[in-house]
Amino acid sequence: MTDTADTRCWYAMKVFYNKVFPLRDLLTDHGLTTYIPMTERTETRDGVTRRVERQLIGSLLFFRATADELRRLLPLTEGRAMVYSRREERRQIPVAIPDREMDIFMLVTSGGKLGVEYLGDDSPGYHLGDRVRVTDGPFTGSEGHIARIRGNHRLVVSIKGLCAVATSYIPMAFLKKLT
């Protein structure tokens, strides 16, 4: 994806010292859209069970910016975060995440859905199954690969080279194979 000075793209950053929320606030104050994957977990403490919202992927923050906004942002985040980038010749180029990939990732990881699990880095081992689209249920419209994880068929959605998440069990009747 080529980005021009006025085209907004999604980027990801690794936030140091797990200060994701203060950094999100800083980016929001500068007019940028941000996204932090969250999940709900059930926790029991002192005999009381409650649902708690937690970060799905610690220290990961997504934001949408133009190339100019990104250049102005880098000095503000120095020592606090690192924008994921690729090496091109002798320079580091921030990796723009395609809108379609980010939309599907946000659909699966938003809303604190129970059963969404972080798998770690985007590993080719999770891409063994067929590419499918979910046709019914809470993940309707999501696309990814089917993998068998802990005995269940699960949809794996990834951002290429960055991370992968798996949904809870999805009935095969809710899946349509993509060609």
Side-chain angles (χ1 to χ4, degrees):
M1 166 181 272
T2 38
D3 58 344
T4 61
D6 58 350
T7 303
R8 286 197 172 208
C9 298
W10 283 102
Y11 298 95
M13 66 171 45
K14 172 135 182 93
V15 181
F16 307 139
Y17 314 112
N18 204 21
K19 302 282 186 182
V20 173
F21 296 104
L23 199 54
R24 176 205 55 195
D25 295 342
L26 173 74
L27 298 179
T28 303
D29 290 346
H30 281 82
L32 301 180
T33 301
T34 61
Y35 178 71
I36 302 170
M38 302 294 285
T39 189
E40 261 186 25
R41 300 202 193 283
T42 303
E43 291 183 358
T44 303
R45 195 178 286 170
D46 298 327
V48 178
T49 302
R50 62 187 178 126
R51 287 187 179 200
V52 179
E53 193 174 52
R54 299 266 186 238
Q55 286 177 254
L56 179 63
I57 307 168
S59 300
L60 184 64
L61 172 67
F62 295 93
F63 64 98
R64 192 167 172 81
T66 65
D68 288 342
E69 289 170 328
L70 180 59
R71 276 189 286 279
R72 286 193 302 270
L73 169 74
L74 291 177
L76 297 175
T77 62
E78 190 173 337
R80 297 165 63 177
M82 169 199 79
V83 175
Y84 284 93
S85 57
R86 69 179 188 284
R87 190 152 190 80
E88 193 172 286
E89 295 177 14
R90 293 191 174 140
R91 298 181 331 154
Q92 290 293 112
I93 307 295
V95 176
I97 301 167
D99 285 343
R100 175 92 173 119
E101 205 170 311
M102 193 66 194
D103 289 345
I104 291 171
F105 184 80
M106 288 190 300
L107 176 64
V108 169
T109 60
S110 67
K113 294 179 177 78
L114 291 171
V116 174
E117 179 180 352
Y118 174 53
L119 299 176
D121 294 341
D122 176 26
S123 167
Y126 295 115
H127 296 235
L128 301 175
D130 295 326
R131 184 147 175 83
V132 297
R133 177 179 297 125
V134 179
T135 60
D136 200 356
F139 301 110
T140 300
S142 300
E143 294 178 9
H145 292 83
I146 290 299
R148 192 168 193 83
I149 301 172
R150 293 188 200 101
N152 289 317
H153 286 99
R154 298 170 66 180
L155 178 72
V156 176
V157 175
S158 64
I159 294 184
K160 189 176 180 181
L162 184 63
C163 62
V165 295
T167 65
S168 54
Y169 170 76
I170 297 178
M172 295 305 274
F174 290 4
L175 301 173
K176 178 182 177 189
K177 187 174 178 178
L178 300 174
T179 54

